Structure formats: structure tokens, C-alpha cells
Amino acid sequence: MNHCVPDFETDDDYFFSASANSKRHKKSAMGDEDIMELLWQNGQVVVQSQNQRSAGNKKSETMPSTAGREIRSGVIDEETTPSNLFMQEDEMVSWLHYPSDDNSLDLYLHNNDIPYPVLPSSSSAPATTLPSSLPPPPPPLVTVPPTRPPIPPLNRVDEEPSQPKFANFLHFSRSNKRGLAGSGPSSSKQMSQAITQSTVVESNIGCRGSMSSFGGAGTSSAGTGREPETCDVSASSSPGTGGSGASASVEPSSHKPPPATDDRKRKGRDTDDTECYSEDLEFEYHDPKKKSRGSASSTKRSRAAEVHNLSERSDKASMLDEAIEYLKSLQMQVQMMSMGYNMVPMMFPGVQRYMPTMPAMGMGMGMGMGMGMDHIGMNRGMVPYPSVLPGPQMPNSAAAHMGQRFPVPRFQMAQVPIMGPGTGEAANPSDPMMNSFPTQNANQPRVPFLDPYQQCLGLPQTQLAQQQQQQQNQTGMAAVTSKPSSSKDVRYPQRHPTG
Amino acid sequence: MSSRRSRQSSSGGPRITDDQIIQLVSKLQQLLPGTHIQRSNKASASKVLQETCNYVRSLHREVDDLSDRLSQLLSTIDADSPEASIIRSLIM
């Protein structure tokens, strides 16, 4: 339904005001989506509902909407939608040259409620440069994210573009398409940098697991969001498990001068706490930040560097967390595979025997299995694993479960060399094996299973050695399998060794 | 300190402190073979990271080795047996 605008031919101003009023009225009446627009059709401005323009050609879609926005008085803004820019650059260029194009952009964005990614709104400095001319994109883009340490919501009241990257697109269109070709690649790179920076800044707020440097593999997803818990649990478990020496040594080490980087960081922290600026001179770029924090002289530069530093630190922390989780999962995977490799040949004679011995294993292994190997056989019906793998149930208590977990493989690992070197020994009844078992444990320096980390550490080497032995003694294994029950009874301390 | 940093921090509520990073590094070190308990305070963060890289590489090698062995084992046994399914799951 095309409404004829009353008498627009005579007076443009009147037309604009009237049409604006009418548009506003109609807009309010019809809701946000049914926006009346002024279309230049056939030399006449026609008020048309927004829905109708879809009937027209696609190219005119943007122009009418934006043209309609032009009529409204609004804040001049450089905002625009990247989609429009990408798809309809001609139109963008053409209507951008209109004086009130910024209005249209801003209003268009407002009306459509396009959710922009929350980025630190750029400072006024780059904003002022944007409308004036085509400034070099890198400086505003680079400085923009750091100058806004918190992430405030988009400020549409200001003339500020909320996203520097979008503003940069505007530069492209303003600079003409020829200029776009030249400045495109370089500016896009800077924009990507800015986007990366803003993404980095964003990531600091929310999930810290944005870095997938370790290949993800599900561990990152398991690791993200659990960092504080993981730290707490690990910190609490490590003293509890007998690794107190390590943690105890860590705390004093944090207070005495350790190696370079840690020392600097720690001293930088102490600066804030103790107001001692003497150490500030030691650092190259930590200095201004610490001083700024200490003296509250937060200049833009120091604040930017500090934000960068803080974001860097959080990235390091997230990376370290991810590394820890990944390493744990890898170790668990290796352990599982080696255990399976050793136990599968044992499973031939009878399956039911192994059932009761598994619950202890099942308690702790769910974490590792959930992370590394999702379907290790829990639903296969095969004994060693179904109870082992309830799923990624307790990722945070992995450390706590390690203590339960390791006695099992430890014993199993210890059994292999028993069988390996002496097949005659394997043929012995269980009692000698039980008796020899502690000695075997003593013989293996890495076997103490009270310390989960130690076990974890000793596992690879032990496995490698044992696998070699195992392969050499396949025939011995066959002999051993004739007495699986006895060996298994000895193998798992949880079960009463009845022989 | 925290108040000053709060307005400048970009990490929001949970502040990432250097001590946290140090603790993480030490935790990582504990996972590494050969550098646990008494030796954790000896290694710098860079060394810990270097050793972590080496260790991860060795673990990868071991996983590959185990996978090869498991696949060999898989070929020797009946494919329909539950053991075979287990081995397949181990290899992933």
C-alpha cells in the first residue's frame, strides 16, 4: 500500500518533516518491524512499508531502508552492518555520500536490534577521526581495545562506532571500491588483529578456554569453566596425597627469588601489596603497570599495557590449565591403552572372574575415560571397562581419584614382570605371588601407589618395559592364563586375596 | 591493589594473579616424570614448559606405539569377540 505523501513536491522540508512524522506515527502504530519507508520510486518519494520492499529487487532493499532512516533525525554515527557492506557495496557507497547516512546506519541498527559482539567501545579519538577522513586503520584499531579495559555495552549515544571493525568497513566504502582493493587486505589484517585483540579481551571475561592450542580433543571443553575448581581441587589434593613436599616447597619458593620470569611476576605482585617500588626497575614492561597501579596514575598507556598484561596473564593461566588437563588426559589414555593391551590377552579364558575386581578401578577412571576415550568399551560388556567408564563424571576430582586408580594398574604392572622373567613363577600358586608381590613392588622404584602422581609418572616407563617383556613372553602368558584367578586375586588389593 | 586493578582489569571477577600462574606451573611440573616432589622448585616456568612439551611428545609417541600394538593384537584375535571391541575402543 503506497501512501502518497502529501504534497512533497513543493517543499522538501515540509515533506521531510511530515513524512518523518507520518513515518514515526506509522512506525509506532505498526510496530518495529513494519517500518514505513520513503522510497524514491520513479522520481517520487513514496512511503512504503518495509515489508513491501521485499517484493522489489534485492538491491533496493538496503537503500530504501537506509533512505528511510535518513529522514529521521538521529545521531550521526558511522555504524553500519557488515552484511550490507559486503553484499551491497555500491549502495553503501552511494548512500554513504549522503550527509545523513550515519543517521540511517545508526537507526537501522537500532531498529533491527542487530546483536553486535560486545567489544570495548572505541575511544572518542578514533571516532572523531572516522567521520572526518580515512585515518590509518591500525592505530585506532590497535589502541581501541586496550583503552577500554572493562567491556561496557555499546554506546550508541555517542557518535562512536561500537565496533572498530565495522567502522573500518565504513572506511572501505568511503574510500571507494578502488581504495578498498588496496586497503582491504592490509586493513582486514589489522582488523583481524583488532578483532583478535577484542576477542582476547572478551575471552578474559568469559570462558578462558578459547585457546585450543592443544588440539582440543574434548579436553579443552572439559577444562574450560573448571579452572578455579581444578586449581582448588588440585591444590587441596596434592598436599593430601603425600605430595605435600612439592606444594610446601612451592609456597616458600613463591616467596623467595626463583627463576627470572616467576620472580618478576611475583615481585610485581608484591609491589602492589607492599607498595615497594624498588623492584619495579627490574622489569622491562611490567614497570609502568605496577607503578600505575601503585600510584594510581593510570594513564592511558599504562592502563592499556596493564590490560594487555592482565589479559596475557589470564591467557597464560588458561593455557596452563589446558596443558595440565591435556597432560592428564594423555597420561590416562596411555595408561588405559597399556592396561588394555596387557589385559586383553588375559581375558580369553574367563570373563566373569574379573568382574568383582573392577569396581575400584571404575571409581576413578571415569574422568580420564570421559576426556580421552569416550567409548573405551563401557558398553561392550567387556569386563575391565564397563564399570570403569561411567563417563566424564568427576573431572574436578580427578586428582582425588588418582589415588584409587593407580593401585590397580600398579599391581597389574607389577605382575607382568613377575610373569615375564620367570614363567615358572607364574605357574606357582597365588601365595608365592602374593609374597613376591611386595618384593616386586619394592624392586620397582616407580611402583609406590600411594602417590598418584608418582604412579602416573612411572607408568609410561614401566609400561614400555613391561610390554617388551610381555611380548617376549607371550608363551609365558599363555601359561599364566591358566591361572588367571589367582593372579587377579593378587593383582587387586581391594579384593581379598583368597588365592 | 585489587580495587585499583579491578577497574583496569579485563578479566572480571576472578583475577589472574601471578601466584596462580606459579601454582599452575608447579602443578604441571608435578605431572611431569622426574620432576616431582623435591624437584618442583628447581625448574623455572620455561623449563617446565619445555619438559612438558617433550613429555607430551613422548606420550604421543607412546600412544601411537600402543595403538600399533593394539591393532596388531586386534588382528590376531577374533573380530567378534568382546576383546576385539575393547581393543577397537582403545585405539579409537
Side-chain angles (χ1 to χ4, degrees), chain A residues 265 293 326 376 382 467, chain B residues 4 18 60 69 86 89:
Chain A
K265 289 176 189 170
R293 280 205 293 259
Y326 180 70
I376 196 172
M382 204 47 225
Q467 281 165 0
Chain B
R4 287 194 199 107
D18 292 325
H60 283 161
R69 290 199 198 148
I86 287 195
S89 62

Side-chain angles (χ1 to χ4, degrees), chain A residues 167-186:
Chain A
N168 209 12
F169 293 148
L170 189 63
H171 292 313
F172 293 159
S173 50
R174 278 183 176 269
S175 68
N176 230 351
K177 300 188 71 180
R178 294 180 295 277
L180 179 65
S183 64
S186 59

Side-chain angles (χ1 to χ4, degrees), chain B residues 69-77 83-85 87-88 91:
Chain B
R69 290 199 198 148
L70 281 171
S71 51
Q72 284 177 11
L73 195 57
L74 184 63
S75 62
T76 62
I77 67 176
E83 295 92 349
S85 58
I87 292 180
R88 268 185 235 111
I91 298 178

Side-chain angles (χ1 to χ4, degrees), chain A residues 244-377:
Chain A
S244 57
S247 55
S249 61
V250 168
E251 270 89 34
S253 72
S254 67
H255 297 295
K256 63 178 188 251
T261 51
D262 293 342
D263 185 15
R264 284 176 188 167
K265 289 176 189 170
R266 179 189 57 79
K267 285 191 175 179
R269 290 268 298 109
D270 291 340
T271 303
D272 298 328
D273 295 330
T274 63
E275 296 289 317
C276 133
Y277 302 103
S278 58
E279 291 98 352
D280 291 344
L281 302 174
E282 298 177 6
F283 315 157
E284 45 275 26
Y285 80 103
H286 285 263
D287 297 345
K289 321 321 159 273
K290 304 299 185 292
K291 277 183 185 167
S292 70
R293 280 205 293 259
S295 62
S297 64
S298 55
T299 62
K300 205 181 267 189
R301 176 81 182 101
S302 63
R303 200 192 329 155
E306 177 176 342
V307 167
H308 174 68
N309 193 19
L310 285 171
S311 62
E312 230 183 47
R313 217 173 294 157
S314 72
D315 286 340
K316 282 183 205 157
S318 58
M319 198 176 63
L320 284 172
D321 265 335
E322 203 171 329
I324 290 172
E325 298 298 323
Y326 180 70
L327 191 57
K328 283 186 206 165
S329 70
L330 256 189
Q331 286 171 340
M332 188 54 46
Q333 181 180 1
V334 166
Q335 180 187 349
M336 284 297 116
M337 291 176 77
S338 62
M339 194 170 9
Y341 183 76
N342 292 329
M343 289 179 51
V344 162
M346 314 270 185
M347 292 187 309
F348 294 118
V351 167
Q352 295 77 12
R353 274 179 267 245
Y354 308 122
M355 281 255 191
T357 65
M358 286 307 147
M361 278 172 60
M363 280 195 285
M365 298 199 178
M367 185 279 300
M369 288 309 105
M371 287 211 283
M373 303 140 76
D374 295 331
H375 52 283
I376 196 172

